Amino acid sequence: MKQHWRLRTTFWLDIALVVSVCALQTVRFTGLVVHEWLGLAIIAMVLAHLLFSWNWIATQSRRLFAKQTLRERINYIINFALFATVVAAIFSGILISQKAIPALTGTETVPAIDMRWDTLHHDFAGTVLILAGFHLAINWDWLLAAAGNVFRRFREATL
Amino acid sequence: MRLARPLFRLAVLLMVGALLVELTAMYGKSAHPFMPNARGQWEIQHQPSTPSVGYVTDFLGQAILLAIFAWLGRMLFRLRLNPAPRNEGKPILLGLHQTRRQELPLATPPAC
């Protein structure tokens, strides 16, 4: 039961992350207020995602310089690059924040956005989308299995 | 006590995150990104605050882009990244040597 709760939570958290990553790419659709608050909320989502995957992270980090398969090595590099790019996108987003950070800190909004950080923020966000696609690709089998498990149990519960 | 382990893990993640923030700050100071023109800069400075459902196609476009990258990655990683089947490159053992050893004293020498 505990295992299923964990699987269900991880699965829906991952779905929320995928939707959030897509939504964060479109400021025109979400508007700046939702964009910035969602960008801050994604910090908690990413941390929860990493904590749920801690066993994998710990094992692979310990075996970093040991003999590994090519798949394991590439998976580790993609995951680390994705984490680094997400951190960079969030950090640069905080630096150019016009709504959320001024509201949280009680400071006044800077009249002009720092264009250098804005450009970098867009570059980091684009890279996040690419790496998130690769991350999905390499964990596709797990995602399908988890979806099958979650929806099968859901169907069994409703019948 | 039960919380000690997740808190320690969280602290490790935050420390790695802080290190990456520091590296991003260093990169940001040294980088010379391509700046948008005056019109592009004006658009960035005047982004809408409220959501606009009319731009849902932007969201769908990003979802399709993500799906394309996932599909590309899937094609790329399926080529050789999946571990080879366990029996690949190994001879199929039929257990003939055991039978042969048992039969050896009785076997007649092969005809030349």
Side-chain angles (χ1 to χ4, degrees):
Chain A
M1 193 65 195
K2 194 183 170 190
Q3 281 288 331
H4 185 246
W5 173 86
R6 191 189 165 97
L7 177 77
R8 206 171 49 188
T9 312
T10 313
F11 176 74
W12 287 115
L13 179 67
D14 290 358
I15 297 294
L17 272 167
V18 168
V19 174
S20 302
V21 163
C22 292
L24 283 168
Q25 303 286 331
T26 58
V27 185
R28 287 195 304 182
F29 172 58
T30 57
L32 203 54
V33 176
V34 174
H35 174 83
E36 290 190 7
W37 284 108
L38 188 60
L40 290 177
I42 215 169
I43 298 173
M45 287 195 262
V46 168
L47 285 175
H49 178 79
L50 292 174
L51 286 176
F52 275 121
S53 317
W54 187 263
N55 287 341
W56 182 88
I57 296 170
T59 310
Q60 294 300 314
S61 299
R62 263 187 242 115
R63 292 175 56 195
L64 192 59
F65 299 107
K67 197 179 175 189
Q68 284 179 316
T69 62
L70 186 61
R71 183 195 170 89
E72 284 173 334
R73 209 168 278 279
I74 288 184
N75 195 11
Y76 193 85
I77 292 168
I78 287 175
N79 289 342
F80 188 78
L82 181 59
F83 179 54
T85 323
V86 166
V87 169
I90 292 169
F91 174 66
S92 53
I94 287 171
L95 290 183
I96 56 168
S97 173
Q98 296 278 299
K99 305 285 178 189
I101 297 300
L104 280 175
T105 56
T107 52
E108 282 190 25
T109 308
V110 183
I113 297 174
D114 186 339
M115 289 313 298
R116 169 200 289 264
W117 279 109
D118 184 82
T119 311
L120 286 173
H121 180 64
H122 277 87
D123 294 347
F124 291 139
T127 314
V128 165
L129 191 77
I130 296 169
L131 290 173
F134 289 164
H135 181 67
L136 270 178
I138 214 156
N139 294 294
W140 188 252
D141 293 331
W142 179 87
L143 198 65
L144 281 187
N149 197 308
V150 167
F151 289 113
R152 182 165 48 83
R153 294 223 178 198
F154 177 74
R155 275 199 304 270
E156 282 170 2
T158 50
L159 285 175
Chain B
M1 196 62 194
R2 267 185 76 189
L3 273 177
R5 193 181 283 183
L7 284 177
F8 169 74
R9 292 171 178 177
L10 195 62
V12 171
L13 286 175
L14 291 175
M15 270 169 55
V16 177
L19 186 74
L20 291 169
V21 162
E22 201 59 42
L23 289 173
T24 310
M26 283 165 62
Y27 174 72
K29 282 172 193 160
S30 62
H32 300 283
F34 174 76
M35 298 286 186
N37 57 18
R39 186 191 158 91
Q41 289 192 22
W42 188 89
E43 280 178 6
I44 289 165
Q45 303 283 2
H46 299 88
Q47 292 185 91
S49 296
T50 50
S52 174
V53 186
Y55 289 112
V56 71
T57 47
D58 280 16
F59 172 74
L60 294 175
Q62 294 297 329
I64 290 168
L65 206 57
L66 183 74
I68 288 171
F69 285 122
W71 179 77
L72 277 176
R74 189 104 184 100
M75 290 293 110
L76 193 72
F77 299 142
R78 274 176 81 172
L79 292 178
R80 265 327 287 177
L81 285 190
N82 288 324
R86 281 166 179 253
N87 58 356
E88 190 175 297
K90 287 182 184 170
I92 300 167
L93 298 174
L94 299 175
L96 293 176
H97 60 290
Q98 284 181 349
T99 319
R100 211 174 144 194
R101 200 180 293 154
Q102 285 163 1
E103 288 174 357
L104 208 58
L106 302 172
T108 49
C112 296

